[in-house]
Each structure stands twice: as structure tokens, then as C-alpha cells.
Amino acid sequence: MAIISVSNLTYQYAQSEAPAVNDVTFDVEAGDWVAIVGHNGSGKSTLAKLLIGILAADSGTIDIAGTRLTEASVWDVRETIGMVFQNPDNQFVGATVADDVAFGMENRHVSRDVMIRRVKEALLQVGMWEFRDREPARLSGGQKQRVALAGVMAVAPKILILDEATSMLDPEGRSDILNTIKTLKQKLNLTVLSITHDIDEAAQADRILVIDDGRFIEEATPQALFEHGSDLIAMGLDVPFSAKLTELLAQRGVAVPAHYLDEGSLADWLWKSRLTK
Amino acid sequence: MEISFDKVGFWYQPGTPFAFQALKDVSLTIPSGQFTAVIGHTGSGKSTLIQHLNALLKPTTGRVLIGDRTIDAKTSNKHLKPLRKTVGIVFQFPENQLFEETVLKDIAFGPQNFGVTSQAATEMAQQAAKQVGLADELLTRSPFELSGGQMRRVAIAGVLALRPDVLVLDEPTAGLDPRGRRDVMTLVTKLQREQQMTIVLITHQMDDVARYAQNVVVMAKGAVVKQGTPQTVFSDANWLADHQLALPSAAEFAAQLSQHGFHFDPLPLTEEALVAQLAPQLPLKGGQHNE
Ligand SMILES: Nc1ncnc2c1ncn2[C@@H]1O[C@H](COP(=O)(O)OP(=O)(O)OP(=O)(O)O)[C@@H](O)[C@H]1O
Ligand SMILES: Nc1ncnc2c1ncn2[C@@H]1O[C@H](COP(=O)(O)OP(=O)(O)OP(=O)(O)O)[C@@H](O)[C@H]1O
Ligand SMILES: [Mg+2]
Ligand SMILES: [Mg+2]
């Protein structure tokens, strides 16, 4: 059964002329990693806020783990979801980093011993344990993002929604964090919804949903979506490095394969073709 | 305008149990009219460093020379205002920079604050909004009723409208879609090339560093650990690996191909440079041979 089931969802901000989310329908199976991509202002964050009930839809329905999202059920539903917001400053509530990470567990009937252990585990996982007594506001941008991630990892919710949660991490930091989330996902059968402009993060997903002006315009595996080459830019994603390279090689008269190759396959192809020269 | 750091040390909350040294003995020069990139891991001191460029933060020890002004621990907060126009900073979290009633007023605030008439400021704001790709219909909205990427564009436009001599951008493309990212990078390069604006960019995008920067400053744990052109900084593979720094994608891929018989010299840093060296090592279409 789908853990997230959204049907004909529409939402329009009071002052605006067009819906920010427009008749959106999709399902996510438990344990899936789904990336949501789209250009700036296409409705990604609005959709995320609808899913956790910060905004209430004008029409359409949302079912989370079998429960219909309503005003009455919103608090129960939120217990199954952990969300990292686009700006971590909007998320901090604790006076110290450790308090902040613990906060999410306080309403979830977690015993104190377990709580202390999980705070430590989560902070170690994101490399922020040594900062546990610091004020969250007095951290660097990337450190804030790490603490925000630790906060949801400690809760180990069924569903994790990441709204550009790694946008300020350095490349190694980002891939470490993505690997950590991947491991958690496998261990706990987490469902991950990641909103991102980063091609490497999108490539981790099982499926990518493309949103454009509030509507879903495409759904595909990363491999299939990356076939779009330079059209990806209009979808709010960059062109994969291997696709850029293939195109430039073609312009120089090299007989490149017609299909999208990821970096590993392109390297293999290049070694083989060099031998035929 | 040239800015240089002379043995700068900086402590957050000095004299408290939380005192933390975020800059250590930093000496460097940001050359006038050039494009300088600042890179380094999370928490290495990049944002702290650039807030010294217009005296938002003052060195605890050492001094910063901004054009003909000297800033040190004793510099009074008076008379710093002109610096805020000469050196414009786009901060890492743009939301924290917005406050006006409408997007247009927000962007026009800077020039107006520095004595430009309201009409001229509005025109400057409209131009800046166009430069960063903000649609006209957004200009009358509240800046808080925007998406993350739209807010970032407003923050960038607000600083561009000041027409500073030195433009400092702290991860300006985080949260921008790829088109926005490319537009901002193209715009910034154009300002540097055509108007000799000095550009300082903090970024984690090594591909952008390779493509646009003339100088690179590498920070680690509050210290400057390397300075040089992208070619020098990225050519030292062992040093980079020791500091866990990434290569630009093209250089990384070239390094991988080198282990399988391909040859590159110098190390290509952009896709174009990579392909220029790679194509002659491959057979051409229809069985033609290169060379
Ligand atoms: N509080 C608000 N009031 C009115 N309109 C809003 C508000 N927040 C967002 N919008 C508008 O709704 C649309 C969708 O915004 P949303 O934040 O969902 O976009 P997004 O896809 O997350 O974009 P980004 O990639 O820039 O974060 C945009 O056109 C935006 O201007
Ligand atoms: N207001 C503050 N009070 C105390 N310490 C701070 C404050 N701001 C930053 N720091 C600390 O100073 C160090 C440098 O922070 P800075 O923000 O300069 O890093 P950065 O290189 O910009 O990192 P990032 O890439 O994550 O943005 C970090 O360890 C951070 O925790
Ligand atoms: Mg958003
Ligand atoms: Mg920073």
C-alpha cells in the first residue's frame, strides 16, 4: 500500500493569481526514495507544506500511512513525518544543539535514556557531536543544515521530507550525508521525499517527479529522465556531467552512443573506443 | 578596490566561556577588479572572513585594509556607512536580508539609503530585478511571500542595485535552479569583465570556481591554507586529497581516464578543456582517424 497518496491536490495563496499546486496526484510506496525537482517557484515547498499540514489544501486529498489528513488528524500525521525546511533558521527551537535535536522526540513518547542515546547517535552521524552545547544560531550555514538533519534523523520517522536540506554542504559533506540517509532508509525502511536542484542528489532517487508551475509534468527513473539532456535545465535540474561531455564530443565529430551514459559507463565506453583507434 | 588582510585573528564572543577563534592569522590580498573564489569545508571560516570585507565584523587582532581605510579592533562604528555601499554583500541566508513591504521597495532600499532619489532608486531596482530574472508580477508582492529561490534573487538584486565596487556573494547559487545559477554566474562575470567590479564568491561548486575565478583562496579551520590560480590549486591532487577537497568534475574525470591510458597535460578544469584534449585521442565518426 502507498504510504503517501495524494489526489487532485490544489492550493492557491490568497494574494496570487494562479494555484501554486495545481491538481497534483501521486503515490509513494513505503521505502521508496522520490526526488521532486522543478524550477524556482514551481511549487515544491508548497507541496511539502501541504503534506505536513502547515498549509491546508483548497481541494483534493492527502493520505499518509492510511490516515486521511484533516484538521483533526494533522498532529497524528505529523508524527510519521520528519521534515527539514529550506532555511534551517526557521526550524531551530532549542537553546543548544543537543536540546534542539532532542526536541523532536519530546512529543513522541520516547524515554529519556533512549532520547539521550539517539541525540548522540544523530549528532555523530552528521559530524556535529562536538558542537552539542553550542547555540544553533551561532553556527555556520552548513553546520546549521547538519543539525537540522540530525533533528529528523533522531526521530526516525517513517517519512523523511528534505527541502533542499543539503544545499549548503560541501561536496564531500553532501555525499556523506546522503549515504547516511541511504543507510538509514535501508535499515528502517524509511520513505524519503527529497526536493532538490542537485543532480547528484536526484540521481540517488528511485523515481523523480518533475513539477512545473504547480503541475506534475513528468515522472521517471533518474536514468530515463537524464536522457532529456539539455532539456533538463528547463525542468530545474542541471545536465549531468557525462551528458555534457558526450554532447561536446559529438560536436567534435566523435561517434558517441545515442543513449545517456552515466560517468562510469561513459568512462568504460571511452576506454574501449580508444583501443579501436 | 583592493582589500587586504594583515595577520587577522577573529574571536566570536571573546572573553566568555564560549569564545571561539574563527579566523587565525589570516593574511591575503583580494586584487582589485578580479574574480576571487573562497572555498573550504563547512565551518572553515568563509562567511566570517567575508564579513570583514566591509567591517561588519572587525578583526580581534591584526587589521584589514579596505581601499584607503584601515579597520582594526579599535575602529569605531561611526563613519563605516560608506563602506557598506562600496562593498556590497549578499549573505548566505537571504531571507534574513529582506524586510520591506514589497519586493521593489526592498531592492530600492539600498540606493535610497545612500541618497539616490526615490525615482532613480526605483529605476535601479527594476533594472537589478531584471538582471536576476525576477518576473515583473513579483515586484509588488511582499518579499516574504516568495519561494526560496525567488527570495535569493531579491537579495542579490538588492545588492546589485547599490552598484558596489566590490561585490561579495556568500553561496549565492544555493537554492537557485540551474538556469538561475548560470544567469547569476554569467552576470557576475560580466560585471567583473566590463565594469572591473571586484568579485568575491564563496562557493562549494568547484566547477564554477574552475570556470569563472582568477584567484582561489582555500580556508581550513579558520586559516588560509592555499592561494593561487584555479590551475595551481587544482593541480596538486595529493594536497587536495589530504584536505578532502573535491576537484572540478572535468579534472576528476580526466584523472580517472589517465589511469587507463589517456593522457592530459595540463589537467583540464572545464568540460571544454577536457574535450579539447580528449577528442584527438579517440576515433572519429565513420571510421575516420584523427591526426
Ligand atoms: N507565502 C506566500 N504567499 C504568496 N505566494 C507564495 C508564498 N510562498 C510562495 N508563494 C508563491 O508560490 C509559488 C510556489 O512557491 P514554492 O515556495 O512552493 O516554490 P518552490 O518550488 O519551492 O521554489 P524554490 O525552488 O525557489 O524554493 C511561487 O510562485 C511563489 O512566489
Ligand atoms: N555567531 C557565531 N558565534 C560563535 N561562533 C560562530 C558564529 N558564527 C560562526 N561561528 C563558528 O565559526 C566557525 C566558522 O564559521 P563560518 O560561518 O565562517 O563558516 P563557513 O566557512 O562560512 O561555513 P559554511 O560553509 O558551513 O557556511 C564555525 O565553526 C562556526 O561554528
Ligand atoms: Mg522551495
Ligand atoms: Mg558560511
Side-chain angles (χ1 to χ4, degrees), chain A residues 140-142, chain B residues 46-48 92 170-171 202:
Chain A
S140 79
Chain B
K46 305 179 297 295
S47 298
T48 306
Q92 193 164 5
D170 195 345
E171 295 188 46
I202 295 183

Side-chain angles (χ1 to χ4, degrees), chain A residues 56-226:
Chain A
D58 297 335
S59 58
T61 58
I62 298 171
D63 293 284
I64 305 283
T67 304
R68 174 67 43 99
L69 180 64
T70 62
E71 228 170 291
S73 71
V74 66
W75 293 104
D76 290 337
V77 165
R78 271 189 212 165
E79 285 203 11
T80 55
I81 306 182
M83 171 147 166
V84 180
F85 290 88
Q86 198 162 355
N87 179 348
D89 280 334
N90 298 342
Q91 185 147 8
F92 295 130
V93 285
T96 67
V97 165
D99 283 354
D100 200 83
V101 173
F103 181 80
M105 283 177 284
E106 269 164 16
N107 303 322
R108 296 185 203 228
H109 326 289
V110 180
S111 74
R112 199 173 152 73
D113 289 353
V114 175
M115 195 145 102
I116 290 170
R117 181 171 52 81
R118 287 222 209 141
V119 167
K120 182 165 181 181
E121 263 173 22
L123 283 173
L124 284 171
Q125 275 170 331
V126 300
M128 289 297 294
W129 176 239
E130 57 179 303
F131 292 83
R132 61 191 173 278
D133 295 326
R134 292 271 291 271
E135 246 178 90
R138 294 178 173 275
L139 295 173
S140 79
Q143 289 168 342
K144 286 178 182 173
Q145 283 195 328
R146 286 167 182 265
V147 172
L149 281 158
V152 292
M153 279 154 65
V155 169
K158 288 201 182 102
I159 302 169
L160 202 56
I161 303 181
L162 308 175
D163 193 352
E164 302 190 38
T166 65
S167 63
M168 283 177 193
L169 300 185
D170 49 77
E172 296 69 30
R174 170 180 280 157
S175 84
D176 286 353
I177 295 275
L178 290 175
N179 283 332
T180 307
I181 295 173
K182 218 173 188 174
T183 312
L184 272 184
K185 170 184 172 278
Q186 271 147 10
K187 205 167 86 185
L188 307 171
N189 198 37
L190 282 185
T191 306
V192 181
L193 232 76
S194 77
I195 295 172
T196 185
H197 295 291
D198 180 60
I199 187 100
D200 298 324
E201 188 172 327
Q204 302 255 341
D206 302 308
R207 271 190 307 150
I208 300 179
L209 299 174
V210 185
I211 185 168
D212 184 16
D213 292 338
R215 288 179 186 276
F216 276 161
I217 53 165
E218 173 130 17
E219 175 186 339
T221 60
Q223 183 79 16
L225 196 73
F226 296 165

Side-chain angles (χ1 to χ4, degrees), chain B residues 1 31-36 86 88 131 159-169 187-200 214:
Chain B
M1 195 176 63
S32 181
Q34 293 199 15
F35 193 132
T36 299
T86 328
Q131 284 179 311
V159 175
L160 282 176
L162 278 176
R163 309 208 173 145
D165 296 339
V166 182
L167 176 62
V168 185
L169 304 130
L187 172 65
V188 164
T189 317
K190 201 171 141 208
L191 291 171
Q192 183 251 323
R193 294 206 182 130
E194 292 175 7
Q195 300 176 27
Q196 285 72 51
M197 205 183 265
T198 306
I199 308 291
V200 180
Q214 292 159 303

